[in-house]
Amino acid sequence: MRKPWIGGVIAGVLLLGACGDPGSGTGAAPAEAPRAERPAEPSGPPKSTTQQRAAEKPRPKAPKVLYLGDSLAMENQNVLGELLRDELGATYRSAPYSGTTLCDYLDDTDKDSLVPDKHKAAALVRAERPDVVVLQFWGNAWGYTPCMDGITYDKQREKYFERYAADAEALAAQIDAAAGADGPRVVWVLQGPDPITPDRVRRVNGIYERQARASGGRVADAGGTVAPASDRYTWVEKLPCTAYEREHPKYCTDSGNRTALHRADDYLHFCLAPTTPKSRPCPTRSPGIRRMAAEVTRVVAEVS
């Protein structure tokens, strides 16, 4: 039996058209985030020997983080940057472009790309010398990305996964080669549930997990934070509030007990503001974005 919400979801997809990933336009060249400053040493009486030794002990290095991805990364980028700076003192650069997939960030493909050469993954790694590269891609499956050569999930399913796995391997290799001996750790962000093609997201996440194991990277299960605890790949519009959201009631959007992850007219994105033709960082408080960004920040802290 056809479920009544499916028609609404499909209509939403048609209304979205080329917004996001699928998306229209590319992100404007993002400015580099300011370097976080350390607080000044407090004044006070002379330190004891124990205090002096503690002060002399090297602090954990504040990581340099590079964030690349599609429309989900585009809308997440400001919240992730704030968390990385506030919690880790990180230096942060983001360069997401809506509608992209992995091949858009590859060098020397001789294909049209939605990402300019100066923002390809290898070019940014050479320029920024990051400690961590975070990659967040939904897995563009609808033919909006020229570099995919028209390979789509619905028409060439196995070829789509083969190509996606090959591009993941190539992107990890290019990042590693660009960095030289002191390469960054690559964090692959696992995606949340897809109500239209749930198995596609499951298999794309499997590609990320295998690639992370093969190349010494890590995964951040950000998608798991926007799925029911009882079923990782079941899509829902709302979930019970987390402890953080209960402590910050503005993040509990539904009578203080449940919170909205998606707009009713957009099953894909997590920004609670309407999607616009020109992609942008999310301009409004959105619990789903904060949940995912917090998980990415946690994993970056572990690998830094």
Side-chain angles (χ1 to χ4, degrees):
M1 179 191 297
R2 179 176 176 178
K3 295 183 180 179
W5 61 266
I6 287 291
V9 168
I10 293 173
V13 173
L14 294 175
L15 286 173
L16 283 174
C19 294
D21 184 8
S24 70
T26 59
E32 182 175 0
R35 185 182 300 273
E37 296 183 8
R38 295 189 182 278
E41 284 287 329
S43 57
K47 294 182 176 65
S48 67
T49 302
T50 302
Q51 289 174 318
Q52 288 175 349
R53 286 175 180 167
E56 291 167 2
K57 184 178 179 180
R59 297 180 180 180
K61 178 186 175 184
K64 289 189 71 172
V65 180
L66 175 63
Y67 184 41
L68 308 177
D70 55 21
S71 62
L72 296 182
M74 173 65 75
E75 65 182 13
N76 292 356
Q77 61 182 312
N78 286 357
V79 174
L80 178 60
E82 289 168 7
L83 286 175
L84 288 170
R85 288 191 293 269
D86 291 347
E87 297 188 11
L88 307 182
T91 302
Y92 174 71
R93 174 76 185 273
S94 60
Y97 285 84
S98 292
T100 56
T101 191
L102 300 175
C103 60
D104 284 292
Y105 282 89
L106 289 172
D107 275 341
D108 304 322
T109 60
D110 294 324
K111 304 289 184 183
D112 291 335
S113 173
L114 301 180
V115 176
D117 288 346
K118 66 181 180 179
H119 289 155
K120 300 287 192 181
L124 283 172
V125 167
R126 285 189 291 268
E128 301 294 328
R129 315 305 295 181
D131 302 300
V132 181
V133 177
V134 178
L135 302 174
Q136 180 163 9
F137 293 89
W138 174 251
N140 186 314
W142 298 277
Y144 290 120
T145 307
C147 65
M148 283 292 288
D149 298 317
I151 300 170
T152 61
Y153 173 77
D154 59 337
K155 294 180 180 179
Q156 298 169 289
R157 191 158 299 186
E158 292 309 313
K159 191 172 183 180
Y160 164 81
F161 288 120
E162 290 170 5
R163 171 64 184 276
Y164 208 74
D167 286 346
E169 182 178 5
L171 189 59
Q174 288 191 4
I175 288 170
D176 188 59
D182 238 358
R185 294 293 298 275
V186 176
V187 173
W188 298 86
V189 180
L190 303 186
Q191 300 306 294
D194 178 354
I196 304 298
T197 57
D199 188 58
R200 184 194 66 81
V201 168
R202 188 193 307 269
R203 291 185 64 178
V204 164
N205 284 348
I207 289 171
Y208 295 155
E209 290 170 326
R210 288 191 295 275
Q211 185 57 53
R213 289 193 298 269
S215 55
R218 282 284 302 274
V219 296
D221 191 11
T225 70
V226 291
S230 60
D231 191 343
R232 170 65 176 77
Y233 287 98
T234 293
W235 184 93
V236 293
E237 184 181 335
K238 297 179 180 180
L239 279 176
C241 294
T242 63
Y244 176 89
E245 289 159 359
R246 290 193 296 271
E247 291 170 5
H248 300 79
K250 289 183 179 180
Y251 279 94
C252 273
T253 62
D254 188 4
S255 302
N257 298 313
R258 295 173 66 81
T259 195
L261 304 175
H262 303 275
R263 288 172 55 85
D265 60 355
D266 186 348
Y267 78 91
L268 171 57
H269 297 97
F270 294 89
C271 182
L272 298 185
T275 302
T276 58
K278 185 176 181 180
S279 300
R280 59 180 177 169
C282 185
T284 191
R285 183 184 294 106
S286 299
I289 288 178
R290 195 190 185 283
R291 287 182 180 210
M292 292 188 293
E295 177 61 14
V296 172
T297 300
R298 185 189 70 79
V299 174
V300 169
E302 289 184 353
V303 303
S304 299

